[in-house]
Amino acid sequence: MTTSQTSESVFIGIDLGGTTLKAALVSPTGEIICETRIETELRNPEALFKQVIETALSLRDDKNAGGRVAGIGIGIPGLVNRKTNRIEVMPNLPALSEIDITSELSSQTGLPVILDNDANAAAYGELQVGAARGQKEVFFITLGTGIGAGLIINGQIYRGAAGFAGEFGHMTIDPEGIECACGNIGCLETIASGPNIVRRTRERLYRDRTSSLSRLAIPRDREFTAEDIAHAAREGDEMAQVMMERTGMFLGIALAAVINLLNVEMVVMGGGVMDAGDLILKPTIKETRRRAFPPSFNSCEIVIANLGATAGMIGAALMARDQAN
Ligand SMILES: [Zn+2]
C-alpha cells in the first residue's frame, strides 16, 4: 500500500539518538503538530527497530494526524550507504545494519520511508525552515556528543559517491593529538565535541586549581558537562572562557578549510554545544577570518542554527515530504 501526498498531508520525522528517540508529526510547512520522546532502546537491534516501528505507528494513528500521514523520514547517528540503503557505521547504537529499515518500516506502516544521516536531516531542516532558509550553498555543523555536518550544494544535500560526505568531525586538526573513535589521531571531534571540551577542561583544571570552575561552578553531585563550562564562562570564569575560545579557534581552523574549498554562502552552527552561543561563535568567526581566503570569508556568513533540538525531526519529515516530488 502506498499513500500519495495531498496539500493536507502531514509527515513523521524521527530523530534516532544515542540516548533519546525523538519523533514528531510535522506539517508540510515544517511546524511540529505533536511530538514524543522516549529513551532509546539499547539492548539489541531487534528491540531498537521494534521501538522505531511502534513510535511510527502511534504517530500515524494519532488523532492529530487524522489519517493524513504521507511519509516517514528518519535521521540516524551513522552513515547510510546510498547504494545499498543500509546503515554502515553507527557507533553509539546497536547495529541496525542487518535490517533493511527502509523496506521493513515501509511495509509495517504502509508509508514511504526515507533514511538519512542525522546531520543531513538537521541541515535539511535548517535549509527549509530554519537559519539557512532561502540559501543555496550551506555548510551545517552540529556540535554535540560527536561532530556531524551536512553540506548543501545548489539547494540540495550533497551526499558524495556512497553517501558518506560531510564528515567534518573527522578532519585531522592535531596530528599529534589523541586517538579518535574512528581510529585516526587528532580529529576535530577529539577536541571540540561536548565530551572532549569537558576532557580538555578537566586536564587544565588539574594543572590550574585557582580557576573559579574548581571552586564554584562545578557541580559536586554529578559529572560536569560542556553546558556547565559554558555557564561558568558566561558568569565570567576566566578559564571557562579560555576553553570556549580555544574550542572556537580549532573550529575556525577547520571551517577556514571548508570555506576555502567550497565557497559556501553560509555556515550554520547547531547542536547542544552551541547553547554557549557567542562564546563559541565569536572566536570561531575570528579564527576563520584569520585563516580563510579573504574573498571566500567575506562572502560567507557564519550563524547559529535556529531550530535547536527539533532540527533533525523537522528535517527528516521534510525529506519525506520532498522525496516524492
Ligand atoms: Zn575521527
Side-chain angles (χ1 to χ4, degrees):
M1 177 181 107
T2 51
T3 313
S4 55
Q5 283 189 36
T6 70
S7 58
E8 299 293 303
S9 295
V10 296
F11 302 89
I12 294 171
I14 300 177
D15 185 0
L16 183 57
T19 51
T20 319
L21 186 162
K22 294 181 289 191
L25 274 179
V26 177
S27 78
T29 48
E31 285 100 25
I32 290 182
I33 299 162
C34 65
E35 63 178 295
T36 152
R37 60 174 61 207
I38 42 176
E39 249 175 66
T40 309
E41 175 62 73
L42 297 171
R43 268 178 305 157
N44 55 54
E46 292 71 29
L48 174 58
F49 188 53
K50 186 161 172 273
Q51 189 181 37
V52 171
I53 292 173
E54 282 166 1
T55 303
L57 287 173
S58 80
L59 283 171
R60 184 196 66 179
D61 300 334
D62 190 282
K63 62 176 178 356
N64 291 299
R68 293 172 297 141
V69 177
I72 302 173
I74 310 181
I76 54 110
L79 299 175
V80 180
N81 188 322
R82 307 305 304 177
K83 293 178 175 162
T84 59
N85 227 357
R86 296 290 181 105
I87 294 171
E88 288 225 353
V89 185
M90 197 160 64
N92 302 318
L93 283 173
L96 285 173
S97 48
E98 295 307 307
I99 303 171
D100 184 345
I101 296 184
T102 315
S103 334
E104 277 287 311
L105 185 59
S106 185
S107 76
Q108 300 257 2
T109 58
L111 295 166
V113 172
I114 182 164
L115 175 70
D116 209 326
N117 171 262
D118 54 2
N120 282 352
Y124 201 68
E126 292 289 344
L127 174 74
Q128 293 293 327
V129 295
R133 194 175 196 159
Q135 310 287 326
K136 280 188 158 332
E137 317 293 334
V138 179
F139 192 62
F140 168 83
I141 67 176
T142 172
L143 306 169
T145 311
I147 295 183
L151 173 58
I152 290 149
I153 293 181
N154 197 22
Q156 304 283 328
I157 297 272
Y158 177 80
R159 297 187 172 86
F164 311 149
E167 286 303 321
F168 180 64
H170 299 286
M171 282 171 61
T172 302
I173 212 78
D174 179 3
E176 294 174 356
I178 66 167
E179 192 175 335
C180 180
C182 75
N184 183 36
I185 300 286
C187 292
L188 179 63
E189 188 165 298
T190 67
I191 293 169
S193 70
N196 280 297
I197 294 173
V198 171
R199 176 189 58 75
R200 285 165 42 232
T201 306
R202 211 179 270 291
E203 284 169 9
R204 224 179 150 107
L205 265 180
Y206 189 73
R207 295 197 301 267
D208 171 14
R209 294 181 182 270
T210 60
S211 163
S212 62
L213 260 181
S214 53
R215 288 184 284 114
L216 303 171
I218 291 189
R220 302 197 189 282
D221 53 340
R222 61 175 169 86
E223 295 281 297
F224 69 96
T225 63
E227 286 73 31
D228 293 322
I229 300 165
H231 179 73
R234 261 194 298 274
E235 301 284 299
D237 180 84
E238 261 178 49
M239 193 179 76
Q241 287 170 351
V242 168
M243 294 314 297
M244 290 292 148
E245 271 165 29
R246 286 188 58 81
T247 301
M249 182 193 80
F250 283 110
L251 287 165
I253 294 172
L255 271 183
V258 169
I259 288 174
N260 282 359
L261 181 67
L262 298 169
N263 182 210
V264 287
E265 60 192 325
M266 182 177 271
V267 171
V268 179
M269 299 177 70
V273 170
M274 287 312 292
D275 290 348
D278 279 352
L279 291 168
I280 289 193
L281 181 69
K282 284 189 172 159
T284 301
I285 293 175
K286 187 175 159 201
E287 191 69 17
T288 309
R289 180 190 291 119
R290 216 161 73 81
R291 292 182 184 269
F293 187 51
S296 303
F297 176 82
N298 291 333
S299 55
C300 178
E301 204 182 342
I302 304 177
V303 302
I304 296 179
N306 69 16
L307 298 179
T310 63
M313 288 186 290
I314 294 173
L318 296 182
M319 279 181 170
R321 175 196 69 181
D322 297 342
Q323 185 184 29
N325 298 337

